[in-house]
């Protein structure tokens, strides 16, 4: 009763899911499409997406009906009216669909996007009688509930297990797992999916709130460094404005008026900076898209843009102008006229503290960037346990290819440039189905990922069989009741040897029983963020979705041309498509690669701003000590002595910043590395090199000013004393 309405949404195919993109045909042209979903007729009662044409109540009612996006309408039909036209979508065989609606493109900030929305009954037709998609035990559906006002999601969630028992025939082991909370149904707010959900089989790859926090913090740190520079340099240059302040005070200006003047100047500087930043952003935004992986757009029509911009201007202006304004407003008029300023005005301790903070952030960023770079490099170069070099994956697009896959393999192998070919259900690096396995005689189930392969799979990917054997045509029983486990799965039970042990495998609606004939060495069939999970491998032709083809020729281009020609003969109704296995796996770490680049740029920017601040602060400090330098030189100090003295005053603060930054960088890096099952060992050399680099950079920054002051003639300095 708490549910006002509900809809099930099923991805027919999509990026990151198990199976390849669908082929869609209009006229004589085929297109590859990944954003194809199916939904109940209640879809438009839950979501407020707008139909440009068609009736939202009836558009998804009939078998073979499909709604397309406005972009697809333009892509396929141009200026023609798409309504009631027929398109063909391939589900290992071709099905015809009638267009019953055209929908506005889904906004980019949605957590899912589709270009084709099929009626749910169509999936039953496409799957055939006895299919597994439409059972209560299938978890490949995304269900959205519209709750009545005042409903507690947690209270509703507590009812869901008992409710599901009416429809799902749980065995005793499953019930135990349900009641232990190991499996079950849960609710999550739709607004929390994109940045907070970590479930498998998401409709689309999600963002990560952690990276949002990290990049936001980095941006704020950069801004804070700039504010610190403004404060330091404002204090440094204000000595030249003491006469102005004194005259204004004599003329009757109050401390509040002095504060207001300097705060206004700081806010106005922040305003000019903000406007300059907007112009710069519009210039570089197209280039930043490749860095961020997403379009970067400012909505100038949105009030929040200007409200947040105004707030940022005020905060930065006040933050950077507050201290100089307070100090200057408190100076006594008599002291200003006499040239005696308060010691608070020339507070070297504050300048040094701000300098330490600036280099603390810079050194922290250098260390973190090195660690992220090393981890990302390791992820890309890590041995995965299988050889993906020069292996391409070719989707199986037709039931004829699937039924005659042995003939396809033998035809492809006629080319001497092809080393191996195998048929598989899943691609390493993409999602895998998971179902329980149990050793016969045990009462404990374990969840295992599953993979269907033919007898050539292990040779094609150069996988090592540790015990027993692989699948073989010499053993017809391998097709029905033989399993191969990876080493992790074989270790689940306390066997002396798993060979010939009986395994019960709950493969969706089918319970399969068979013997273990082999154990394969563990290999990373999923991202290195997660550990190696139990894997059960079965010879099962109906679930093959790809051919894996290893090319042994250096001339890959001509080999691909030959493969295209061969597949055009084997499957003349569909275009030849492929992708390289190693490149597909590398896409798993695009987020880490982007983070590496972004932190690298932030680090360079932070160092640049810090060094500018150090240069200005050292210039001011050395200028204030000009007379001291002259006296020291008169008393015999050499240029080297003076340079060393002046440089050491600043280098010691950089060293302190390094000492403070190291433990913080270690804690952050250690926490970030916990996201990976395979991670680097952070070497102390990274910290040592970072410290040396920071000191050298700071030394070079102040050395020019120090050397220049040390070489001045003391006569010129002291002649007027």
């Amino acid at each position: 009763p708490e549910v006002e309405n509900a809809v099930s949404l099923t991805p027919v195919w999509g990026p990151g899911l198990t199976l390849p993109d669908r082929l869609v045909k209009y006229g004589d042209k085929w297109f590859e499409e990944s954003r194809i979903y199916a939904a109940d007729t209640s879809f438009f009662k839950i979501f407020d997406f707008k139909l440009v044409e068609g009736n939202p109540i009836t558009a998804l009612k009939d078998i073979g009906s499909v709604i397309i996006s406005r972009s697809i309408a333009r892509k396929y039909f141009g200026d023609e009216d798409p309504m009631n036209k027929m398109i063909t979508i391939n589900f290992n065989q071709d099905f015809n669909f009638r267009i019953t609606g055209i929908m506005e493109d889904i906004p980019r900030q949605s957590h899912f996007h589709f270009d084709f929305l099929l009626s749910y009954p169509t999936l039953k037709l496409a799957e055939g009688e006895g299919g597994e998609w439409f059972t209560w035990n299938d978890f490949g559906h995304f269900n959205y509930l519209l709750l009545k006002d005042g409903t507690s999601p947690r209270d509703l969630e507590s009812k869901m297990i008992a409710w599901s028992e009416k429809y799902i025939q749980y065995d005793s082991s499953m019930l135990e797992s349900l009641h232990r909370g190991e499996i079950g149904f849960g609710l999550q707010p739709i607004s929390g999916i994109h940045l907070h959900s970590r479930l498998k089989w998401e409709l689309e790859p999600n963002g990560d709130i952690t990276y949002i926090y990290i990049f936001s913090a980095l941006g704020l740190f950069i801004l804070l460094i700039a504010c610190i520079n403004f404060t330091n340099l404002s204090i440094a240059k204000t000595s030249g404005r003491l006469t102005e302040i004194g005259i204004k005070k004599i003329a009757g200006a109050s401390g509040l008026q002095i504060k207001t003047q300097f705060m206004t100047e700081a806010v106005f500087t922040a305003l000019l900076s903000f406007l300059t930043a907007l112009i710069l952003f519009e210039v570089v935004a197209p280039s930043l898209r490749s860095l961020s992986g997403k379009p970067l757009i400012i909505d100038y029509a949105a009030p929040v843009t200007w409200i947040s911009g105004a707030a940022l201007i005020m905060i930065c202006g006040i933050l950077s102008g507050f201290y100089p304004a307070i100090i200057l407003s408190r100076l006594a008029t008599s002291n200003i006229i006499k040239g005696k300023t308060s010691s608070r005005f020339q507070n070297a301790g504050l300048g040094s503290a701000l300098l330490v903070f600036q280099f603390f952030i810079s050194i922290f960023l250098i260390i973190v960037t090195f660690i992220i770079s090393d981890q990302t490099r390791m992820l890309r170069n890590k041995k995965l346990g299988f050889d993906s070099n020069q292996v391409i994956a070719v989707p199986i697009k037709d039931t004829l290819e699937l039924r005659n896959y042995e003939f396809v393999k033998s035809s492809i192998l006629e080319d001497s440039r092809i080393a191996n070919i195998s048929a598989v259900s899943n691609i390493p690096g993409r999602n895998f189905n998971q179902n329980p396995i149990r050793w016969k005689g045990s009462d404990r189930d374990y969840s295992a990922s599953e993979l269907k392969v033919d007898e050539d799979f292990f040779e094609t990917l150069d996988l090592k069989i540790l015990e027993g054997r692989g699948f073989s045509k010499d053993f017809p029983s391998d097709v029905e009741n033989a399993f191969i486990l990876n080493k992790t799965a074989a270790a689940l039970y306390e066997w002396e040897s798993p060979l010939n042990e009986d395994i019960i495998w709950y493969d969706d609606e089918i319970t399969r029983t068979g013997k273990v004939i082999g154990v394969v060495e563990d290999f990373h069939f999923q991202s290195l963020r997660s550990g190696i999970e139990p894997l059960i491998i079965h010879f099962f032709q109906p679930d093959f979705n790809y051919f894996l083809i290893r090319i042994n020729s250096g001339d890959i281009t001509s080999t691909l041309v030959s493969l295209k020609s061969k597949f055009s003969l084997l499957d003349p109704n569909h275009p030849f498509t492929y992708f390289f296995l190693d490149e597909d796996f590398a896409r798993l770490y695009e987020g880490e690669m982007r983070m590496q680049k972004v932190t690298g740029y932030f680090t360079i920017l932070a160092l640049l701003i810090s060094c500018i601040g150090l240069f200005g602060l050292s210039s001011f400090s050395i200028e204030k000590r000009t007379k001291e330098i002259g006296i020291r030189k008169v008393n015999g100090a050499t240029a080297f002595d003076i340079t060393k003295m002046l440089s050491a005053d600043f280098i010691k603060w950089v060293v302190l910043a390094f000492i403070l930054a190291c433990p913080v960088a270690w804690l952050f890096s250690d926490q970030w590395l916990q996201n990976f099952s395979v991670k680097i060992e952070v070497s102390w050399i990274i910290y040592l090199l970072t410290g040396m680099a920071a000191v050298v950079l700071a030394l070079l920054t102040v050395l020019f000013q120090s050397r220049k002051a040390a070489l001045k003639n003391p006569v010129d300095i002291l002649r007027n004393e």
Side-chain angles (χ1 to χ4, degrees):
E2 296 92 339
V3 180
E4 183 175 315
N5 216 321
V7 62
S8 282
L9 189 65
T10 297
V12 179
W13 243 246
L17 299 183
T18 305
L19 304 175
D21 294 346
R22 292 295 190 189
L23 290 172
V24 181
K25 184 180 183 182
Y26 175 66
D28 59 354
K29 290 184 178 180
W30 284 101
F31 303 88
E32 284 187 85
E33 304 290 354
S34 60
R35 306 200 307 189
I36 304 177
Y37 293 171
D40 294 325
T41 54
S42 56
F43 181 80
F44 291 100
K45 296 178 182 178
I46 304 294
F47 298 105
D48 59 359
F49 300 128
K50 305 299 181 186
L51 280 185
V52 180
E53 294 188 56
N55 186 332
I57 298 175
T58 60
L60 295 173
K61 184 176 179 181
D62 298 328
I63 290 176
S65 59
V66 60
I67 295 172
I68 63 173
S69 68
R70 190 189 282 270
S71 294
I72 289 295
R74 286 194 298 266
K75 175 180 175 181
Y76 284 47
F77 303 98
D79 295 330
E80 294 181 55
D81 182 7
M83 288 296 291
N84 294 311
K85 285 194 166 57
M86 302 300 292
I87 61 174
T88 300
I89 301 180
N90 174 256
F91 293 86
N92 288 338
Q93 58 180 304
D94 295 340
F95 288 88
N96 294 322
F97 290 85
R98 182 173 64 90
I99 297 173
T100 55
I102 303 170
M103 194 179 72
E104 288 285 4
D105 291 345
I106 294 179
R108 63 184 181 87
Q109 64 266 34
S110 175
H111 79 283
F112 65 77
H113 300 81
F114 58 82
D115 291 313
F116 300 83
L117 192 62
L118 315 180
S119 62
Y120 241 31
T122 309
L123 287 191
K124 293 184 179 181
L125 175 67
E127 194 182 31
E129 292 296 326
E132 298 169 0
W133 279 355
F134 288 89
T135 68
W136 282 97
N137 282 33
D138 180 62
F139 293 93
H141 308 273
F142 296 76
N143 305 291
Y144 294 85
L145 311 182
L146 182 62
L147 304 186
K148 293 179 180 177
D149 290 341
T151 297
S152 166
R154 298 286 75 84
D155 290 345
L156 176 60
E157 193 174 47
S158 66
K159 299 180 180 181
M160 294 181 74
I161 292 178
W163 169 83
S164 70
E165 291 180 30
K166 291 192 247 179
Y167 303 96
I168 300 177
Q169 301 302 312
Y170 295 117
D171 59 27
S172 58
S173 177
M174 289 277 281
L175 278 175
E176 289 175 9
S177 296
L178 275 167
H179 296 157
R180 285 196 300 263
E182 296 172 353
I183 60 173
F185 294 94
L187 298 176
Q188 60 182 162
I190 193 171
S191 59
I193 293 173
H194 178 62
L195 290 176
H196 299 278
S197 179
R198 296 293 174 271
L199 301 179
K200 287 188 175 182
W201 299 96
E202 296 284 8
L203 283 169
E204 291 184 13
N206 282 339
D208 190 334
I209 191 63
T210 302
Y211 290 141
I212 300 296
Y213 290 149
I214 290 172
F215 293 145
S216 299
L218 291 176
L220 289 173
F221 280 150
I222 298 295
L223 192 58
L224 190 56
I225 289 174
C227 289
I228 290 171
N229 271 0
F230 187 89
T231 301
N232 273 339
L233 297 179
S234 292
I235 294 174
K237 73 177 184 179
T238 307
S239 58
R241 301 184 63 181
L242 292 178
T243 304
E244 171 198 343
I245 297 167
I247 293 172
K248 285 185 176 181
K249 284 204 165 193
I250 291 172
S254 65
L256 178 61
Q257 289 174 316
I258 299 296
K259 290 177 190 175
T260 302
Q261 175 193 343
F262 282 91
M263 294 290 283
T264 302
E265 289 177 2
V267 171
F268 184 71
T269 302
L271 173 62
L272 292 179
S273 301
F274 179 76
L275 296 176
T276 306
L278 288 181
I279 296 170
L280 183 61
F281 172 82
E282 292 300 332
V283 171
V284 303
S287 302
L288 291 177
R289 178 167 186 167
S290 61
L291 181 64
S292 66
K294 296 182 183 295
L296 299 178
I297 300 170
I298 295 178
D299 185 0
Y300 292 104
V304 68
T305 301
W306 298 106
I307 293 172
S308 58
L312 187 64
I313 291 167
M314 293 302 297
I315 291 171
C316 290
I318 293 171
L319 188 64
S320 55
F322 178 78
Y323 185 77
I326 292 295
I327 294 298
L328 290 169
S329 66
R330 291 181 178 178
L331 292 176
T333 307
S334 59
N335 288 337
I336 294 175
I337 299 301
K338 295 176 182 177
K340 298 178 180 179
T341 57
S342 167
S343 61
R344 288 176 299 176
F345 172 66
Q346 299 184 25
N347 189 342
L350 177 65
S352 300
L354 294 177
L355 178 66
V356 169
F357 183 75
Q358 282 185 308
F359 272 90
F360 167 84
I361 294 174
S362 299
I363 292 168
F364 168 83
L365 287 176
I366 295 173
I367 295 172
V368 168
T369 300
F370 272 129
I371 292 173
I372 291 175
S373 178
D374 284 353
Q375 176 67 13
T376 304
R377 190 181 305 110
M378 186 275 295
L379 291 175
R380 291 181 61 86
N381 299 328
K382 171 73 177 175
K383 298 294 184 183
L384 300 173
F386 63 92
D387 185 3
S388 61
N389 187 41
Q390 294 198 171
V391 176
I392 65 169
V394 179
I396 297 174
K397 303 183 182 73
D398 197 286
T399 53
L400 188 63
E401 275 187 284
L402 185 59
R403 288 197 302 267
N404 300 311
Y405 84 99
E406 287 285 6
F407 174 73
V408 174
K409 288 173 59 179
S410 61
S411 299
I412 298 301
L413 286 172
E414 290 174 358
D415 190 332
S416 61
R417 293 170 294 185
I418 305 301
N420 302 98
I421 180 171
S422 171
V424 298
S425 62
N426 298 66
I427 295 295
R430 299 193 177 187
N431 282 326
F432 282 65
N433 283 331
Q434 286 185 305
N435 276 303
I437 61 172
R438 181 188 297 183
W439 173 32
K440 199 169 185 178
S442 169
D443 60 355
R444 180 68 189 273
D445 291 341
Y446 291 96
S447 179
S449 298
E450 52 197 49
L451 176 63
K452 319 296 177 56
V453 305
D454 68 5
E455 70 278 0
D456 296 313
F457 170 72
F458 301 100
E459 183 179 0
T460 301
L461 292 189
D462 194 22
L463 288 164
K464 182 180 179 182
I465 300 292
L466 300 177
E467 293 185 66
R469 60 178 179 83
F471 299 120
S472 172
K473 293 178 182 177
D474 298 332
F475 298 89
S477 61
D478 283 0
V479 176
E480 294 296 329
N481 57 4
F483 302 131
I484 295 175
L485 305 178
N486 70 346
K487 187 177 177 181
T488 297
L492 292 174
Y493 298 102
E494 296 180 357
W495 290 319
E496 289 186 12
S497 171
L499 297 182
N500 297 314
E501 292 287 351
D502 290 320
I503 287 285
I504 302 171
W505 175 26
Y506 303 96
D507 182 11
D508 295 324
E509 285 292 284
I510 302 170
T511 300
R512 304 182 188 277
T513 303
K515 292 188 180 296
V516 178
I517 64 168
V519 177
V520 65
E521 180 66 86
D522 281 340
F523 63 99
H524 291 279
F525 58 91
Q526 291 182 314
S527 165
L528 293 174
R529 295 186 193 92
S530 57
I532 295 177
E533 298 176 349
L535 177 68
I536 184 168
I537 305 174
H538 184 41
F539 193 132
F540 193 64
Q541 176 185 344
D543 284 354
F544 292 161
N545 296 302
Y546 297 90
F547 290 113
L548 294 181
I549 303 172
R550 178 177 295 282
I551 300 172
N552 63 6
S553 168
D555 188 359
I556 294 178
T557 302
S558 66
T559 306
L560 290 173
V561 171
S562 176
L563 282 171
K564 180 179 180 180
S565 176
K566 183 77 72 170
F567 272 98
S568 296
L569 295 174
L570 294 167
D571 182 10
N573 296 320
H574 303 104
F576 171 69
T577 57
Y578 70 92
F579 55 86
F580 282 93
L581 195 58
D582 54 355
E583 292 177 357
D584 192 66
F585 205 94
R587 290 193 187 98
L588 295 172
Y589 310 115
E590 287 180 346
E592 283 72 27
M593 293 170 64
R594 281 197 294 269
M595 185 175 178
Q596 174 192 351
K597 291 179 181 178
V598 171
T599 53
Y601 291 137
F602 270 124
T603 300
I604 293 171
L605 191 57
L607 277 172
L608 179 62
I609 296 173
S610 297
C611 288
I612 290 172
L614 177 59
F615 185 85
L617 197 61
S618 62
S619 299
F620 171 70
S621 177
I622 291 171
E623 182 182 341
K624 287 294 182 182
R625 299 178 68 177
T626 301
K627 295 174 184 176
E628 175 192 344
I629 293 168
I631 294 170
R632 287 181 180 274
K633 292 199 72 172
V634 168
N635 283 281
T638 65
F640 176 77
D641 294 330
I642 300 297
T643 302
K644 183 174 69 172
M645 176 194 70
L646 295 174
S647 300
D649 284 348
F650 292 98
I651 298 304
K652 67 183 179 184
W653 300 121
V654 176
V655 172
L656 177 60
F658 169 72
I659 294 171
L660 295 174
C662 282
V664 178
W666 179 86
L667 287 171
F668 174 86
S669 302
D670 183 68
Q671 189 66 32
W672 181 73
L673 289 171
Q674 297 307 314
N675 294 319
F676 304 91
S677 64
V678 179
K679 47 185 177 285
I680 60 170
E681 290 291 335
V682 180
S683 171
W684 60 269
I685 295 177
I686 289 177
Y687 295 91
L688 179 61
L689 291 177
T690 300
M692 292 173 61
V695 169
V696 169
L697 194 59
L699 187 61
L700 291 174
T701 302
V702 302
L703 197 59
F704 173 76
Q705 296 283 4
S706 301
R707 185 70 177 167
K708 183 180 176 182
L711 293 176
K712 279 187 177 181
N713 189 333
V715 174
D716 296 331
I717 297 172
L718 301 174
R719 72 169 69 187
N720 296 321
E721 291 301 314

